[in-house]
Amino acid sequence: MHIIPLHAANPGPFTGDGNWTYLIPGDSPVLVDAGVGNPSHLDALAAAAAAGPAHVLVTHAHSDHAAGVPAIGRRWPRARFSKFPWPGEDREVAAGWNAIDEGATVMTGAGRLDVLHTPGHSPDHITLWHADSRTIFVGDLMQLGSSVFIPASKGGSLADYLHSLRRILALAPARALPAHGPAIEDPAALIAHYLEHRHKREVQVLNALEAGRASVEAITARLYTGVTAEVLPLARESVLAHLQKLAHDGLARRDGESWSVVR
């Protein structure tokens, strides 16, 4: 499968080295994710496909994946833009979105991509499966060297995320192409690591509840010692994501801002 990685040129505290987008060339080039509209990204896209992308598939609505849509549309007015709907959030980007859902297929120069709805990092997150090469475009589902942030107060769901990981694992992909970081050549090993890491963290959160830590802040202080002020809000979101999953599993309950173990 011939794929051209194109960097979105958007490094930052929340994007790391920045996003990767992926062009599948052909008579009707397909671009996975839109970047942020950086001119260098658009120029690299033009160099790889002079007529620009015919179809842009956005894995989810977070700005580092979708904000480049208007710039691409202005430069290549015939481009189509598709994503899984997220009412409200989709209005943040001025695009005539085509809705794609679980089970949709997209034809590319390398053959068919199957759309899989894989929520968790966001409710609208999709991955794209190329069965012929056993390659999967995973957006923000996976990233080498780092766990994936679950924004629990902004549509994220750890329970959904773990289900999505297990679903990808069942496909036995040979390669995963993430939006951040290098290609993942052993997706099964990384997923196994993620599942183990999340289980250990869940046990820690449950132990903190049993020890009388009843708030997100108290549990975060117990589990994330020495984190910087910049990272602290992310740590709190991670704790909240675990608490929500424990509630989903019937192991914890919430009463206002207080959490407790279900006995």
Side-chain angles (χ1 to χ4, degrees), residues 209-229:
L209 279 177
E210 291 175 337
R213 306 301 199 276
S215 68
V216 169
E217 290 74 16
I219 296 171
T220 303
R222 174 179 169 129
L223 300 186
Y224 292 88
T225 58
V227 300
T228 65

Side-chain angles (χ1 to χ4, degrees), residues 43-133:
D43 290 344
L45 181 54
H55 197 176
V56 181
L57 303 172
V58 173
T59 59
H60 60 294
H62 290 165
S63 62
D64 53 329
H65 300 259
V69 163
I72 293 173
R74 286 191 296 270
R75 189 152 177 175
W76 296 286
R78 295 184 180 180
R80 292 186 297 125
F81 302 95
S82 299
K83 70 179 296 295
F84 188 98
W86 186 0
E89 291 298 317
D90 290 341
R91 293 198 301 267
E92 296 299 317
V93 173
W97 291 114
N98 297 294
I100 51 175
D101 203 341
E102 169 74 28
T105 60
V106 177
M107 294 308 300
T108 76
R112 190 181 80 188
L113 290 179
D114 295 311
V115 176
L116 309 176
H117 183 213
T118 48
H121 175 67
S122 66
D124 62 333
H125 195 284
I126 60 169
T127 50
L128 302 161
W129 172 235
H130 186 255
D132 290 346
S133 65

Side-chain angles (χ1 to χ4, degrees), residues 40-248:
S40 66
H41 178 235
L42 299 178
D43 290 344
L45 181 54
H55 197 176
V56 181
L57 303 172
V58 173
T59 59
H60 60 294
H62 290 165
S63 62
D64 53 329
H65 300 259
V69 163
I72 293 173
R74 286 191 296 270
R75 189 152 177 175
W76 296 286
R78 295 184 180 180
R80 292 186 297 125
F81 302 95
S82 299
K83 70 179 296 295
F84 188 98
W86 186 0
E89 291 298 317
D90 290 341
R91 293 198 301 267
E92 296 299 317
V93 173
W97 291 114
N98 297 294
I100 51 175
D101 203 341
E102 169 74 28
T105 60
V106 177
M107 294 308 300
T108 76
R112 190 181 80 188
L113 290 179
D114 295 311
V115 176
L116 309 176
H117 183 213
T118 48
H121 175 67
S122 66
D124 62 333
H125 195 284
I126 60 169
T127 50
L128 302 161
W129 172 235
H130 186 255
D132 290 346
S133 65
R134 309 203 70 76
T135 297
I136 189 160
F137 299 85
V138 292
D140 278 354
L141 193 72
M142 303 166 65
Q143 178 183 347
L144 278 176
S146 176
S147 60
V148 169
F149 176 54
I150 308 297
S153 64
K154 296 182 179 180
S157 165
L158 182 57
D160 286 347
Y161 176 69
L162 296 176
H163 176 76
S164 293
L165 285 179
R166 293 187 177 99
R167 186 177 183 201
I168 299 308
L169 183 62
L171 293 173
R175 179 173 61 156
L177 298 177
H180 301 275
I184 300 163
E185 302 297 345
D186 190 351
L190 183 57
I191 291 173
H193 169 71
Y194 277 168
L195 294 175
E196 180 182 11
H197 168 73
R198 293 292 182 176
H199 175 70
K200 288 180 178 178
R201 182 65 77 193
E202 179 175 298
V203 170
Q204 292 174 336
V205 171
L206 193 57
N207 288 342
L209 279 177
E210 291 175 337
R213 306 301 199 276
S215 68
V216 169
E217 290 74 16
I219 296 171
T220 303
R222 174 179 169 129
L223 300 186
Y224 292 88
T225 58
V227 300
T228 65
E230 184 179 64
V231 173
L232 189 58
L234 305 183
R236 289 173 178 152
E237 284 289 303
S238 181
V239 167
L240 178 59
H242 278 277
L243 287 168
Q244 289 177 347
K245 179 183 179 296
L246 287 169
H248 174 271

